Amino acid sequence: GQQLNQSPQSMFIQEGEDVSMNCTSSSIFNTWLWYKQDPGEGPVLLIALYKAGELTSNGRLTAQFGITRKDSFLNISASIPSDVGIYFCAGPGNTGKLIFGQGTTLQVKP
Amino acid sequence: DAGVIQSPRHEVTEMGQEVTLRCKPISGHDYLFWYRQTMMRGLELLIYFNNNVPIDDSGMPEDRFSAKMPNASFSTLKIQPSEPRDSAVYFCASSLGVRGDYEQYFGPGTRLTVT
């Protein structure tokens, strides 16, 4: 079945550093979503991308819809402690249901 | 606006007992989803509703699981009888549409522990 692969699986960085993570698939997706999940909470939608090549920002977060439509990238600039959490990519599969990646766990050292 | 509301936030029960999880979607959203999250399997879609009608329940693990949506503002997920392997975090999410609008908004989840 369709799968989304996220890398890296986990990151441990220093406060103030920039962060990059990506999400790839062997099949084409027409929409990419990025969610963040804080410990003990539900995933929160950060950014939605609907067009190949699209670059969208939300504060210190920037996400890009890969031109091949098989990947997406999320960057966080000048990380702060509250950026800690699990970041998920998601996209609609062939059946229309959302498929989620396995997540990238981010830890930020003050 | 209030987000998706779930109750209870935590549930601890003994094997064999009935468990009922509750969800209130965002007002005006036509779609409601139930997910289960575990370390081993990540986020799994169990069932979703459109305009209160169940559309796809292929993710429901067994007949012990059932879900209802009696009206646009309330849904339940029931497990009867519960088993230890049902221990997980259960999320409810809602959206305006499945095709064309995939932006789902999640509730805070119910952490279920079955002993």
Side-chain angles (χ1 to χ4, degrees):
Chain A
Q2 289 177 295
Q3 284 186 323
L4 293 177
N5 298 307
Q6 289 189 245
S7 66
Q9 207 167 1
S10 62
M11 304 178 74
F12 192 91
I13 62 168
Q14 197 78 30
E15 181 178 0
E17 290 183 354
D18 296 343
V19 174
S20 290
M21 60 187 78
N22 65 46
C23 185
T24 60
S25 174
S26 58
S27 54
I28 288 172
F29 280 76
N30 293 314
T31 299
W32 290 92
L33 306 171
W34 284 94
Y35 285 85
K36 181 196 177 196
Q37 186 174 19
D38 289 331
E41 298 295 330
V44 173
L45 183 63
L46 298 173
I47 292 177
L49 302 162
Y50 292 97
K51 193 174 175 182
E54 180 181 356
L55 189 72
T56 298
S57 293
N58 178 4
R60 293 178 296 103
L61 276 62
T62 301
Q64 182 162 24
F65 192 142
I67 200 72
T68 65
R69 294 195 283 161
K70 293 183 178 181
D71 55 14
S72 179
F73 306 89
L74 178 69
N75 297 314
I76 305 173
S77 62
S79 59
I80 59 178
S82 62
D83 290 333
V84 164
I86 305 175
Y87 291 80
F88 292 99
C89 62
N94 294 333
T95 61
K97 294 183 282 191
L98 270 186
I99 298 171
F100 286 83
Q102 77 276 29
T104 292
T105 300
L106 176 65
Q107 297 187 57
V108 179
K109 185 177 179 182
Chain B
D1 288 337
V4 175
I5 299 171
Q6 290 186 249
S7 65
R9 290 295 309 272
H10 302 273
E11 177 80 36
V12 181
T13 190
E14 291 184 348
M15 183 173 66
Q17 296 298 306
E18 177 179 296
V19 174
T20 299
L21 312 181
R22 297 172 176 80
C23 175
K24 177 180 169 55
I26 293 172
S27 177
H29 280 191
D30 297 330
Y31 286 82
L32 184 140
F33 306 83
W34 281 101
Y35 287 88
R36 178 171 67 177
Q37 186 179 41
T38 60
M39 289 291 291
M40 291 296 293
R41 300 172 69 91
L43 268 168
E44 302 175 276
L45 177 66
L46 301 177
I47 185 172
Y48 77 89
F49 295 81
N50 175 213
N51 291 325
N52 315 337
V53 176
I55 303 300
D56 186 337
D57 65 354
S58 59
M60 297 284 261
E62 307 172 25
D63 291 345
R64 298 184 297 106
F65 285 69
S66 62
K68 293 182 179 178
M69 192 165 185
N71 58 61
S73 59
F74 184 66
S75 176
T76 59
L77 178 68
K78 186 178 292 187
I79 309 172
Q80 166 64 19
S82 57
E83 296 182 5
R85 60 192 167 126
D86 301 331
S87 297
V89 182
Y90 291 81
F91 290 105
C92 176
S94 69
S95 75
L96 283 173
V98 172
R99 296 198 180 274
D101 179 356
Y102 298 99
E103 298 178 20
Q104 295 180 19
Y105 295 85
F106 284 75
T110 296
R111 181 173 293 278
L112 174 65
T113 303
V114 183
T115 61

